[in-house]
Amino acid sequence: MTGLSNGASALNKVKFTKLFINGEFVDSVSGKTFETIDPRTGDVIARISEGDKEDIDIAVKAARHAFDFGPWPRMSGAARGKILLKWVELIEEHAEELATLDAIDAGKLYHMCKNVEVPSAANTLRYYAGAADKIHGEVLKMSREFHAYTLLEPVGVVGHITPWNFPNTMFYIKVAPSLAAGCTMVIKPAEQTPLSALYNAHLAKLAGIPDGVLNVVTGFGPTAGAALSSHMDVDKVSFTGSTQTGREIMQAAAKSNLKQVSLELGGKSPLIIFDDADVDKAAELALIGILYNKGEVCVASSRVFVQEGIYDEFEKKLVEKAKAWVVGDPFDPKVQQGPQVDKEQFEKVLSYIEHGKREGATLLTGGKTVGNKGYFIEPTIFSDIKDEMIIAQDEIFGPVMALKKFKTIEEAIKSANNTKYGLAAGIVTKNLDTANTVSRSIRAGTIWINCYFAFGDDVPFGGYKMSGFGKDHGLEALHKYLQVKSVVTPLYNSPWL
């Protein structure tokens, strides 16, 4: 493990710690605050205003007024797009600050945030800025003497609840399409990682987003999150996080005003590697698939199935690569893996490693903590996995891989589908027939062939089964923040129907 930097310059980047409501940074009504922790050390970074039900009420009231009476939903799409493009410029200007905040708050690699994730967030906003003036209904040719057309109208006030693993990325994946659609919103970022959301609210104000359109209430899920999900004046909730929390949000939506819900939930994604694969490339893909962002990825390739003809060679190369993986300070450019997000997640991952040992899986490498402070865990690979093992069924959300040998394509498909989740899957093969058969047989929302983590703003992303419903990315994401209105008027003496 490489040594930790003192982080002093990083901590100077923390400028915003209060709630952002109606265009202003304000204290919570209760005056309460909570600590946000640096997972590199376990030290407190800052104290953040703790919003709860009263603060959510104030934020929703601001968003409702901005939707019912403000300019944002009434602007042309081109005018909204122009403001969003100004915001894109501000993201790019402040990439260093945004990357720093996610590195110290979430333990993410600084260089990956600055060079990949922040530019990707800017591109997401740019994509939907370009879509804002392309929201069109249809003219319908009715079979009776009526003229009909549809309008696409913004759904209204949206509650966004974002996860802690990609704070900056997920902020824009949710905010960008809903703003392009003309919605107003309240964002409740994960309590573990509130810093970049507050900084992004500041940039939104600078870009010219009208007051009340975008509000950020930091706080905890059982209080602020629950209040947002059950609020009678919120028209839709978009949530990314655990399946259990998603279930609670659906219940709250049903019991309140039957608000629309979209959920991107857990995953236990399979990566299936066939005998004809390039073993070295396949091992690299499998390792990145589970270790990127220290395994805190909903689509991490946490179950790897390898055909028996190359299994032994694959296992050897995989273990070699895992042992060479560099764990340490996320500000060090040589480091490949930072700390888990917080103590709770750290302990959860370690408990799953103990489950794996108890259940009889073979620990090939890793399984231990790294260093004497912070929340660092070695890359961990188990083999001799059975499908019913806890480590093969539960979403661990850490650097822990379950490795299994298979003989036939039918066996691989059966094991891949033996999960309650269905978020993503990977296939490594040179055979087109194999790729086509497997990609159509796996029940998951995204299938990657000879690649992994190949996301794009123009490619819809979302789950099957208990991985949720509703799509992020693509025009499908824009349309989930729009409602279809049909307008019908009589035709008189028309020569044509």
Side-chain angles (χ1 to χ4, degrees):
M1 174 175 165
T2 65
L4 295 178
S5 65
N6 61 29
S9 61
L11 296 177
N12 291 335
K13 304 290 185 189
V14 181
K15 298 186 174 100
F16 306 105
T17 58
K18 297 183 179 184
L19 315 181
F20 185 79
I21 298 177
N22 207 23
E24 302 293 337
F25 285 100
V26 296
D27 290 317
S28 59
V29 172
S30 68
K32 290 192 293 186
T33 60
F34 64 96
E35 296 174 345
T36 191
I37 303 296
D38 184 340
R40 301 176 304 159
T41 60
D43 296 338
V44 176
I45 302 167
R47 297 199 67 89
I48 308 297
S49 289
E50 183 184 335
D52 54 27
K53 185 179 184 301
E54 288 178 288
D55 304 285
I56 291 290
D57 287 342
I58 294 166
V60 170
K61 186 176 180 180
R64 172 55 61 193
H65 188 272
F67 185 79
D68 289 346
F69 304 105
W72 190 252
R74 292 157 188 82
M75 285 182 187
S76 68
R80 286 199 297 271
K82 189 174 181 181
I83 293 172
L84 296 181
L85 288 173
K86 172 62 178 169
W87 193 358
V88 170
E89 293 176 9
L90 291 167
I91 296 169
E92 292 173 339
E93 285 174 26
H94 296 274
E96 183 182 314
E97 290 94 331
L98 290 167
T100 300
L101 292 175
D102 276 5
I104 62 171
D105 214 13
K108 297 173 68 66
L109 299 182
Y110 171 77
H111 63 280
M112 285 298 295
C113 289
K114 185 180 177 185
N115 298 322
V116 178
E117 291 180 20
V118 174
S120 175
N123 284 335
T124 297
L125 193 55
R126 185 180 285 113
Y127 177 88
Y128 289 106
D133 62 354
K134 299 169 185 68
I135 298 171
H136 307 299
E138 295 180 304
V139 176
L140 307 174
K141 186 168 170 53
M142 292 182 66
S143 57
R144 300 167 61 199
E145 291 184 344
F146 292 93
H147 170 63
Y149 60 91
T150 58
L151 297 171
L152 298 181
E153 298 183 342
V155 72
V157 176
V158 180
H160 292 301
I161 303 176
T162 61
W164 45 256
N165 58 333
F166 288 89
N168 199 63
T169 303
M170 290 307 308
F171 181 94
Y172 285 102
I173 284 174
K174 294 190 180 300
V175 163
S178 50
L179 282 177
C183 296
T184 62
M185 61 209 62
V186 178
I187 301 127
K188 206 296 282 183
E191 53 264 33
Q192 296 89 339
T193 56
L195 295 178
S196 60
L198 294 171
Y199 198 99
N200 281 314
H202 161 68
L203 296 183
K205 173 92 171 178
L206 293 181
I209 300 291
D211 293 349
V213 170
L214 185 148
N215 307 274
V216 177
V217 177
T218 49
F220 294 90
T223 49
L228 194 57
S229 303
S230 61
H231 204 288
M232 294 297 291
D233 221 11
V234 171
D235 300 300
K236 178 181 177 68
V237 170
S238 171
F239 170 73
T240 296
S242 73
T243 296
Q244 178 54 38
T245 303
R247 184 181 280 115
E248 293 168 9
I249 287 170
M250 275 195 79
Q251 290 174 335
K255 289 177 180 177
S256 55
N257 60 344
L258 281 173
K259 59 177 67 64
Q260 294 182 35
V261 176
S262 57
L263 303 171
E264 193 259 277
L265 307 175
K268 194 68 178 174
S269 299
L271 175 61
I272 307 173
I273 300 167
F274 289 89
D275 279 342
D276 61 350
D278 179 305
V279 175
D280 200 57
K281 288 181 180 175
E284 191 69 29
L285 208 61
L287 202 68
I288 292 291
I290 188 58
L291 297 184
Y292 178 68
N293 202 49
K294 55 270 181 20
E296 294 174 350
V297 185
C298 53
V299 293
S301 58
S302 51
R303 296 182 299 145
V304 177
F305 303 104
V306 184
Q307 203 161 15
E308 59 184 0
I310 61 167
Y311 180 88
D312 290 342
E313 184 187 358
F314 176 89
E315 183 187 280
K316 182 183 175 186
K317 288 198 172 180
L318 185 70
V319 171
E320 283 175 6
K321 289 176 185 289
K323 286 181 175 177
W325 198 256
V326 183
V327 180
D329 180 9
F331 285 93
D332 184 336
K334 297 189 208 68
V335 163
Q336 296 166 289
Q337 180 185 320
Q340 307 309 129
V341 71
D342 66 3
K343 187 177 182 182
E344 182 180 348
Q345 185 63 21
F346 172 75
E347 291 176 347
K348 176 187 168 188
V349 174
L350 292 175
S351 74
Y352 273 113
I353 291 170
E354 292 307 309
H355 274 302
K357 293 175 184 175
R358 280 198 300 272
E359 288 183 310
T362 300
L363 181 64
L364 294 177
T365 185
K368 298 191 289 293
T369 61
V370 179
N372 54 15
K373 66 176 178 177
Y375 309 127
F376 299 88
I377 297 176
E378 290 178 336
T380 301
I381 301 171
F382 283 101
S383 66
D384 301 318
I385 296 296
K386 294 181 174 61
D387 288 345
E388 63 273 13
M389 287 180 175
I390 290 173
I391 59 169
Q393 288 293 326
D394 286 11
E395 182 178 42
I396 298 172
F397 228 60
V400 181
M401 178 193 293
L403 185 60
K404 184 182 179 184
K405 186 190 299 184
F406 73 90
K407 290 184 180 181
T408 66
I409 188 171
E410 293 79 14
E411 182 188 341
I413 291 167
K414 183 179 178 182
S415 286
N417 282 329
N418 188 5
T419 173
K420 64 186 177 182
Y421 297 115
L423 201 52
I427 304 163
V428 186
T429 180
K430 294 171 185 167
N431 187 309
L432 183 60
D433 292 337
T434 299
N436 282 335
T437 298
V438 178
S439 61
R440 283 160 172 74
S441 301
I442 294 177
R443 299 284 294 161
T446 299
I447 311 291
W448 289 302
I449 300 171
N450 297 326
C451 58
Y452 212 81
F453 296 141
F455 294 105
D457 291 315
D458 37 15
V459 180
F461 171 74
Y464 282 26
K465 299 192 282 188
M466 289 181 73
S467 289
F469 50 84
K471 299 295 183 182
D472 289 319
H473 292 307
L475 294 180
E476 279 84 355
L478 182 68
H479 284 98
K480 76 181 182 183
Y481 299 109
L482 294 165
Q483 299 192 102
V484 179
K485 177 185 283 182
S486 298
V487 182
V488 184
T489 181
L491 285 172
Y492 298 103
N493 305 316
S494 170
W496 304 100
L497 286 180

